Each structure stands twice: as C-alpha cells, then as structure tokens.
Amino acid sequence: EKATHFACIYPGHWAPDGGFVYLVEGRRGTTTTPAPKTPAAGSEGPSYTVLAINVHVAQGRHALSFGPMTLLKQTESEKLEKPMQPISLALFREAGATHYCFVGRNFEFSEKVNSGPRGGFAYIFENRELNRFFPITGVG
C-alpha cells in the first residue's frame, strides 16, 4: 500500500532530530489519530492510518524505521507482556491509545502475525479493535 500523505515530525523528546510519518487516507475505524474538526462545518475531516514512521538522526545517534502497522485481534493483544507502559504523548492519547510495549524479535502473536527479526512496538487503545503493532524495519 502506498502513502497518500506525509507529515513532518518536529524535533522533540522522542525524535530529537525530527523525521516523517507516512499516512494513507480513508480507513475509518483504523486511524491512529482522529481527524480535526472542520470549524466552519463542525464535522470531522478525513481519517488517516499510519503506514510508516522514519526518524532522522544526527551523527552519533540511533534511530528506528517502522514498517506498516498490523491491527491486532483481541487474542493477539492478550499475549503481550504485562504491565505495559502508559502513553505519555498527547497526540497518541487523543487518538485513544492507553498503553504500549516493546515486542521482542520473532514474537508470535498468532499463526499469521509475527513481530519479525527486529521486533517492534504494540499500542493498546480504549477501543480494543484499534490495537496495533508497528514492526521495526531498520536501525540506524
């Protein structure tokens, strides 16, 4: 699947040198962030799903690249380590995410879903149908 939009990640605590997030428009119910309200109409705008996140790095620092997310079924989410870390980023909390955790390499969520050779991060949402996993695809 190809991204329809991208956005700059401004330098901050979790991305000291900034980066980019790649999005696809139009999959309601699987968004990582709710669309902003349109002031004039008072209705919601389009919805977006994160396809990939790339964080820039200055020399001597490390960064991770993330591949396409996978929605996790309830049975897959239940296999995650407890306790999980609470979400601290406002953007993620506003999207309904409550907790996250690192998932080690080759972790089997189910017969069809595996964390891959580098692992990744799982996010748990208030609406459990939105639980998801982002695999790490590159380390720099």
Side-chain angles (χ1 to χ4, degrees):
E1 187 166 14
K2 292 185 178 182
T4 58
H5 295 77
F6 72 93
C8 178
I9 298 172
Y10 289 99
H13 177 71
W14 69 278
D17 298 306
F20 290 93
V21 59
Y22 298 92
L23 309 157
V24 64
E25 183 178 345
R27 280 202 246 154
R28 288 230 178 254
T30 61
T31 58
T32 57
T33 183
K37 297 277 185 185
T38 306
S43 63
E44 289 189 11
S47 62
Y48 298 95
T49 299
V50 174
L51 290 179
I53 301 170
N54 291 314
V55 179
H56 292 252
V57 272
Q59 188 174 4
R61 293 194 183 152
H62 300 280
L64 302 174
S65 294
F66 296 92
M69 69 93 180
T70 299
L71 287 174
L72 297 174
K73 296 177 183 172
Q74 183 67 31
T75 55
E76 295 166 342
S77 297
E78 290 171 355
K79 292 184 177 182
L80 294 169
E81 295 269 335
K82 307 286 190 292
M84 298 180 78
Q85 298 298 313
I87 295 292
S88 59
L89 292 172
L91 177 68
F92 287 27
R93 285 194 318 266
E94 290 167 9
T98 61
H99 292 82
Y100 75 97
C101 71
F102 174 76
V103 179
R105 63 186 182 98
N106 299 318
F107 178 84
E108 287 194 22
F109 290 100
S110 67
E111 191 173 297
K112 294 183 179 183
V113 181
N114 184 295
S115 67
R118 294 188 174 105
F121 288 88
Y123 291 86
I124 302 301
F125 285 73
E126 291 170 4
N127 175 354
R128 298 297 192 228
E129 292 179 5
L130 300 179
N131 292 353
R132 59 198 60 211
F133 172 74
F134 288 91
I136 296 172
T137 56
V139 179

